[in-house]
Amino acid sequence: MKAYPTEQIRTIVCVGPPGAGKTSLVEAILFRTGSLSHKGRIEDGTTVSDRTPEEINHGYSIDSSTIATEYENVKINLIDTPGSSEFFATTALAMEAADAALVVIDAQTVTNPELLLLWNLLNTRQLPRLLFINKCDRDPEAFAKTVSLLHETLGEHIDPIELPLPEGNGLGGVIDLIANRGFLEHGTTESEIGIPADLVDQERTARDTLLDEIVQEDDAIMERYLSGEELPIDELARALSMSVRALHLSPLLCGSATGDVGMHHLVDALVSLVPPPTLHPHPGWSVLVVSAIQDQYLGRLSVLKNLGAALHPDDVLTSADGHEERLHQLLVPTPSELHQVPTIDPGDLVVVPKLAAPVGTLLTRGVQPSDQPTLHPAPVPGFTVAITTEAPQDEERLAANLFKIAGDDPGITIDREPGTHRLLVQGFGTNHLAITVERIQRRGQFKIETHEPITQYRETFRAPAQAEGRYKKQTGGHGQFGVATIIVEPLSRDSGFEFVDEIVGGAIPRNFIPAVEKGILEAMEAGGLMGYPITDIRVRLIDGKYHSVDSSEMSFKMAGSLALREALNQAQSQLLEPITRLCVTTPVTHQGDVLGYLSSKRGKILHTTTPDSAWVSIEADVPAAELVSFAPDLRAMTNGLGSFVGQAHHYDAVPDHIATKLTVSAT
C-alpha cells in the first residue's frame, strides 16, 4: 500500500447494535474495494475483524479492529467495533480516532436500546455519520417503516439518499436519489436502469425531501432550486457532502452485506461524504493509542491515531508519566498482511508493535501537558468481581496477566480489596467480566475463582471515653510492665486517625511513646466490637507508668492496644458504611423510576440536570452495600438506556436498625 496524504484519508468507525451485521458489512466493503478475493463468515470464524479466540468462540465482536483498504486513490481506514453496551468503552475510544461513523442498523430491530446509547455517544463527540440499513433483502417493502421508526427513535435529520430496488422476491439494487436513477447489482458490477413505474411516486417524494434539506447549504444553489431549475448531479452531491460534514444531515443508505447489494454506492459515499482528518494547529501533538491486541507471533500490536506531524520509524514519544516509547516499525493493517511503510501522515492510523502504553494513552513529542488534546470522558465500569487463583503460587502471574489485559481493554479497571488484598476487576457487565476471566485463564494457563466483593464497613466511637491499659507479666527474670492512659474522641467523617502526645513529667519515657501509638493502630486495624476496622478518632495519651527494668516497647505497645479496647467498651462503637456518589444518565421518561429506586436504596438525591430534552442526569449519594445489583437493575428499569458513573466518596453512619442486621465479620 502506498503512502497517502492527509486529504486522501478517510477513517470511519463502524458502530451499531448487536446483530446488525457490522463485521459482515466490513467484509463486504473490503470485497467491493478488491482487498478481499472472497468474504469470510462469522459462523466459520474466518472474518478479517473478529480474530481473537474469544471472538471466534462467542461469534461476535469484543475488541475494536482496524483494517485499511484503497479505493479510487483514497485510503479508507475501517474500525469495526463491538455492538454490546458491555464493550462501549472500546467503541467510545474508537470514536476518538474516527473522522465519521457508519451506523449499521438491522431493518428488523430499529428500536434496539444500544442504538440510542451509540447515537448519544456520537452526538457528544459531534461526529459526522452515515446510516446503513442492512438486511433489506429480507423485506424490501419495510424500508419506509424503518425510516419512520428511525425518525421517532433518534429524532434527527435522517434522510434516505437511496431507496431499495426490489427484484423478484428479493433485493436487486438501489435507487440513487441524487442521480435520480436505479442501479441493479450483479456481484462486483452494476447496471443502470430507469425507475420502475410503481416506485416513481415514492422516489419523487423522497428526492424532494432530500433536496429541500441539502440545498440550504449553499444560497446560490437554493435560489436556483427554488426557481425550478434542474440542478446538476455534481452540485447536488457537493451540497450533500457539505450537509453531512456540517452535521446538518445524516444520510441513509440501504442494502445487504451478505447479499452484496448496495456496496457500490456505500463505498462511493464513504469516499465522497466522509471528511478527511481535521488537523489541529498544534503540530507537536503526536498519537493516541486507540486499541491493542496480542498477536501470537508479533506480541502486542497497538493501533495509533496520528494527531500531529508525520511519523517515522524509530521516532521516540513520551507519555504523561515520562515513559518513553520508540516506534520501531510502522505497519498498515491490510486484510492480507501488516504492510510496512516509511512514514504515516497526520490524521492516519498505524499499527506499531511492542509498545507498552495502555489504550487511551496520549504520547507526545515536546508538548506541555496543557497543550495536549482533551479526550471525551470515557464510560466508567459499574460491575465488580473479586478474583483469586486456585493455587496461591499463581497469584503473582494472575496480577501480571490481569494488568496486561487492562492495558488492552479501556473498559477494565483493576484495584485491590482492602483487608483481603484480593484483586478486584471492574467491567461493564457480567458477560464482559466473564470474557475477561476467560482471557486470563487462556493466557495464564491457570484456573481462576471469582467472588462477590466485600463491603468495606468501618467502626468509630459513639462518644468520648477515657481508659487505662495495663500490661503486666512476670515469668521469671525480666518481666513486662507498661501502663498507658488515653482519652479517645470521635472525629468527623473521613478524618482518619490523630494521635496526640500529652505526656508530661516523664510518666512514659519518650522512646516508648511511639510503641503506644503502634499498639493503638494495630488494635484499630484488628477491628472494633463488630469486627470492622476503627477510624475517625483522636487518641490523646495523657498519662502512664513504667518500670526501669521491666518496661519495654512490647509492653507499651500492648498497653496502648488494651487501653483502646477498654475505651471502646465504654463508649460503644458506631458502624460506618462506604457511600458512593452516583451520576446516573437516563431518558427523561424513566426519571421517576430511577429516582424511586435510588430513594428505596437509602439514596440521598443531590440534584438533577437536563442536558437536553430527552435525557436527565441525577446525582445522588447511595450506600455502596445497596448498589450490588444497581447496574443490572438500571438496565432493566430503563430498557438498557441508562448509564452511570460512580466513585467512592465518603463514609457515613449506618442506621442502628440496619446495623443490628449485619453479620459480624472479621477483615
Side-chain angles (χ1 to χ4, degrees), residues 639-657:
N639 296 325
L641 299 177
S643 62
F644 71 97
V645 174
Q647 61 180 359
H649 193 263
H650 65 278
Y651 273 80
D652 207 350
V654 178
D656 289 340
H657 71 282

Side-chain angles (χ1 to χ4, degrees), residues 291-596:
S291 62
I293 62 167
Q294 298 291 333
D295 185 84
Q296 182 179 357
Y297 304 105
L298 299 176
R300 188 174 191 254
L301 297 174
S302 301
V303 177
L304 310 181
K305 168 80 169 185
N306 184 8
L307 301 172
L311 297 174
H312 303 89
D314 291 325
D315 280 350
V316 176
L317 306 175
T318 307
S319 62
D321 60 5
H323 180 73
E324 290 189 346
E325 299 273 13
R326 183 178 296 275
L327 310 183
H328 296 287
Q329 290 178 293
L330 302 179
L331 306 172
V332 173
T334 66
S336 58
E337 64 176 346
L338 289 169
H339 182 71
Q340 190 167 347
V341 293
T343 183
I344 288 292
D345 270 25
D348 206 353
L349 300 186
V350 63
V351 172
V352 176
K354 301 179 181 178
L355 290 190
V359 294
T361 300
L362 286 165
L363 301 173
T364 62
R365 283 181 299 199
V367 183
Q368 297 299 319
S370 60
D371 292 331
Q372 293 184 13
T374 301
L375 302 179
H376 293 87
V380 177
F383 290 72
T384 304
V385 66
I387 62 173
T388 59
T389 56
E390 288 186 351
Q393 63 268 24
D394 290 331
E395 290 290 335
E396 188 172 335
R397 288 199 300 132
L398 168 62
N401 277 275
L402 187 52
F403 278 99
K404 284 183 180 179
I405 287 174
D408 297 345
D409 185 344
I412 291 292
T413 60
I414 309 300
D415 203 351
R416 286 280 186 181
E417 189 174 60
T420 67
H421 303 292
R422 297 183 302 187
L423 285 165
L424 296 178
V425 185
Q426 295 173 308
F428 281 88
T430 54
N431 191 40
H432 186 198
L433 292 174
I435 288 174
T436 300
V437 169
E438 183 181 327
R439 280 183 162 162
I440 300 170
Q441 293 185 141
R442 175 177 60 83
R443 295 183 186 182
Q445 297 297 307
F446 46 69
K447 291 186 177 181
I448 291 175
E449 297 176 343
T450 61
H451 317 269
E452 285 287 335
I454 297 173
T455 300
Q456 301 301 314
Y457 291 102
R458 296 287 184 267
E459 293 181 53
T460 192
F461 277 54
R462 286 183 179 270
Q466 179 174 325
E468 177 186 271
R470 177 181 292 267
Y471 184 69
K472 182 178 180 180
K473 189 174 183 181
Q474 192 70 43
T475 57
H478 289 305
Q480 296 286 343
F481 180 82
V483 178
T485 303
I486 63 173
I487 296 176
V488 183
E489 301 166 338
L491 297 177
S492 59
R493 296 290 75 83
D494 301 310
S495 296
F497 170 68
E498 183 180 340
F499 180 78
V500 182
D501 174 12
E502 297 182 3
I503 294 295
V504 294
I508 299 176
R510 309 308 303 174
N511 59 312
F512 290 149
I513 290 175
V516 177
E517 181 180 4
K518 185 176 181 180
I520 292 170
L521 286 169
E522 289 185 358
M524 291 172 62
E525 184 64 28
L529 299 180
M530 288 176 277
Y532 299 105
I534 299 170
T535 187
D536 296 346
I537 60 171
R538 177 189 294 118
V539 177
R540 296 161 50 202
L541 178 60
I542 62 172
D543 200 2
K545 296 178 182 179
Y546 78 101
H547 189 277
S548 59
V549 175
D550 291 343
S551 290
S552 65
E553 287 189 4
M554 174 60 72
S555 60
F556 277 99
K557 178 180 171 183
M558 293 299 299
S561 177
L562 292 171
L564 183 75
R565 176 60 60 175
E566 176 59 30
L568 185 61
N569 288 331
Q570 294 178 28
Q572 296 300 300
S573 66
Q574 170 70 60
L575 187 63
L576 304 176
E577 62 183 345
I579 303 296
T580 299
R581 177 151 294 179
L582 288 178
C583 183
V584 184
T585 301
T586 178
V588 171
T589 52
H590 299 289
Q591 179 179 357
D593 294 335
V594 175
L595 288 173

Side-chain angles (χ1 to χ4, degrees), residues 64 115 167 177 202-203 225 243 302 319 406 413 443 469 474 484 519:
S64 67
L115 178 58
E167 184 180 46
L177 297 180
Q202 180 184 347
E203 191 272 345
Y225 173 72
S243 186
S302 301
S319 62
T413 60
R443 295 183 186 182
Q474 192 70 43

